Structures are given as C-alpha cells and as structure tokens.
Amino acid sequence: MASEQREKLIRFYKGTEGEETVIQLVDTAEAVLKNRKFRLSGFLDPFGQEIAETVAANYENLRVDFDGGYPGAERARAMFVHEDFPGTPPGFDIACIEAKWNGQFARLSHRDVLGSLMSLGIERDRLGDLLVTNDSVKILCDEKMAAYFLQNLTRIGSVGVEVQETGLDTIAPKEERCKEIRATVASLRIDSIAASGFGCSRSRAASDIAADKMKLNWQAVKSASQSVKEGDIISMRGRGRLEVAEVRGKTKKGRTVVVLKRYL
C-alpha cells in the first residue's frame, strides 16, 4: 500500500518544480510510519507546504503540522506525526539570528542577504524567512545552523555585520497591507493580469516572465500566455504578490472583469 502511494505521489509531481520536494517528503512520511514517532522537514515555501499536506492526506495514521517561527511566516517546516505517538513532539527546532549594519551608509536587500548566506554553502531548506529592515535582518534558520552563522556570517555583500542570536518572541507578527484593484482585461493570460495588478505594461510583464522573475502559485511561469484562475497567487521579484481574488463576468465589449489583491 505504502509503495503504491509513493509511486502515485511521485508520478503526480514528476517533471514539475515539486518533484525533488515530494521525494524528500515521502521519505520523511514513510520513516514516521515505520517508527510511529515524528520527523521534521526542512523549510518549505508555500508550494512545498501544499505538497506536504498532499503527502499526509495520502497516508493513513499520519498528520502534518507547520511552523515558520512566528505567526504569518511564509516559509515553514513541516512536522509529520504518527497518530499513535503518545507524547508531544519537542518543537520545530527553529532559531533566529539577527545581523545588524550601519543603515546610514548601506542598504541591503533580501536578495543581498540570501546571496551571502548561500555563498556560505547553506542549503535553502535550512533557511526560513529573512526579515530585512533598513539596518538589520532577522534570519529564521534550522537551530543546528545557529552556531555556524554566529561564527561565519561577518559580511553581507561588502558590508560588515554584527551577528547575535535572538529569541523568536522578538519577531512581530507579519502585518500585510493589501490594495484592492478592479480591472478589465482582454483575457486571463498571466501577462495581462500581472500588468494590471503590478501597474506595468504587458510587454514588461512578458519580459519579467522570460527573465524568470515571476511565479504562479510559487512555481515558475512557463509562458506569458499561461492562464490564471480565481484564487491563484502571482509573485514577481521586487514587486510582491498578487492574488486573483475574483473573476467576474464580461463587459459589453467582451472584456473580463477581475478583482485583484496586491500585497504591499
């Protein structure tokens, strides 16, 4: 039975960005079914979390919980727990490392921080959210990586930083501002929807897609002509996220009325 479920899940995600993730999560889930205890995944993006929920739903006696270190975290670890496990799992093993710099002389972005961390040889699934301000970043990470960061993270890009470990309780819940946009579009092509939501031209949206800067439901957009539907999430590097909140009827001229929510 387990082998059939494994093959079905891997076949479903084969050839997609989720193929490697589903293999790792199926291995984790089956280890829990074998030892009747619990096991943690690495940090997952929202698409990975959807895969984890799908894996848990396809095996009996298995549940999955998520935690990213603070309320509203985008990246989170999955914990698969066997229903027969009698105790309470100890936790999600998440630490918070804070790096500070002089914000009067340097401006560092999320991309700068992530690039510097990856240059240290850190795997992406060891890292949760990166909460960047004008003069600091809070790095959510696997607890086992905390000491390594304290010893080795001395610069982000060309900027020297001071690093310390801080508590998860110092992180404020994420407060997202949302702008509602009502628009009419010629079609539900992603370049058309993105242009309306992000306030750019369709040609610019198409260029960003070609440059691999846009994702649909946290997966790479393959073509500017790809269709979207109600409930889809579009994210564009440097511009944030866009939700297709409603797809309404047609206007007299045959255009489609949509309601979009842009998260700022």
Side-chain angles (χ1 to χ4, degrees):
M1 178 65 178
S3 62
E4 292 179 3
Q5 294 302 99
R6 178 189 183 87
E7 291 176 7
K8 182 178 75 171
L9 287 163
I10 293 175
R11 184 168 60 249
F12 182 78
Y13 289 100
K14 189 172 181 62
T16 73
E17 291 187 14
E19 183 175 0
E20 183 177 343
T21 299
V22 75
I23 292 171
Q24 293 172 345
L25 293 175
V26 165
D27 287 344
T28 301
E30 292 190 347
V32 171
L33 292 174
K34 185 175 181 180
N35 65 26
R36 293 177 175 267
K37 295 182 179 179
F38 60 89
R39 187 165 291 191
L40 276 171
S41 75
F43 284 93
L44 303 167
D45 63 16
F47 180 47
Q49 293 165 43
E50 288 182 8
I51 295 174
E53 290 180 330
T54 301
V55 170
N58 277 271
Y59 287 98
E60 294 182 356
N61 305 315
L62 191 69
R63 78 169 195 266
V64 63
D65 300 318
F66 299 95
D67 195 330
Y70 70 102
E74 181 171 294
R75 294 178 61 81
R77 302 189 78 170
M79 180 183 288
F80 290 104
V81 184
H82 197 283
E83 290 183 354
D84 292 341
F85 180 64
T88 301
F92 284 79
D93 296 343
I94 299 173
C96 180
I97 300 297
E98 185 172 33
K100 295 183 177 181
W101 58 87
N102 190 329
Q104 292 183 328
F105 300 104
R107 289 287 185 271
L108 296 175
S109 67
H110 183 284
R111 191 173 184 180
D112 295 326
V113 176
L114 181 59
S116 292
L117 296 176
M118 301 295 279
S119 71
L120 292 174
I122 307 300
E123 297 291 335
R124 188 66 178 99
D125 68 354
R126 297 286 187 172
L127 300 171
D129 286 359
L130 307 177
L131 307 175
V132 184
T133 67
N134 287 337
D135 59 3
S136 71
V137 58
K138 288 186 176 179
I139 303 165
L140 282 298
C141 65
D142 187 320
E143 200 172 65
K144 296 176 182 177
M145 301 303 301
Y148 182 81
F149 285 132
L150 293 174
Q151 294 176 5
N152 295 280
L153 183 60
T154 58
R155 306 187 75 80
I156 296 176
S158 60
V159 180
V161 296
E162 295 181 359
V163 182
Q164 65 178 358
E165 186 169 0
T166 188
L168 296 175
D169 57 0
T170 66
I171 304 173
K174 183 179 289 185
E175 295 183 7
E176 289 189 309
R177 291 180 297 139
C178 177
K179 177 182 178 182
E180 187 172 281
I181 300 166
R182 297 171 184 267
T184 61
V185 292
S187 72
L188 293 177
R189 284 172 49 124
I190 192 168
D191 57 348
S192 180
I193 297 293
S196 295
F198 292 119
C200 62
S201 66
R202 283 183 63 178
S203 60
R204 173 61 187 274
S207 296
D208 286 337
I209 291 169
D212 198 26
K213 293 182 179 180
M214 194 180 299
K215 290 193 174 185
L216 175 62
N217 298 327
W218 298 280
Q219 299 180 71
V221 177
K222 298 177 181 179
S223 168
S225 63
Q226 192 169 336
S227 293
V228 301
K229 63 184 183 303
E230 191 169 290
D232 280 350
I233 302 292
I234 301 169
S235 53
M236 186 186 293
R237 190 187 306 159
R239 289 178 179 261
R241 290 185 292 116
L242 189 69
E243 177 186 352
V244 184
E246 294 181 54
V247 177
R248 297 182 174 176
K250 300 275 189 178
T251 67
K252 292 181 179 180
K253 294 184 178 181
R255 294 174 66 85
T256 301
V257 180
V258 294
V259 178
L260 309 173
K261 291 184 179 178
R262 182 175 178 182
Y263 294 91
L264 307 172

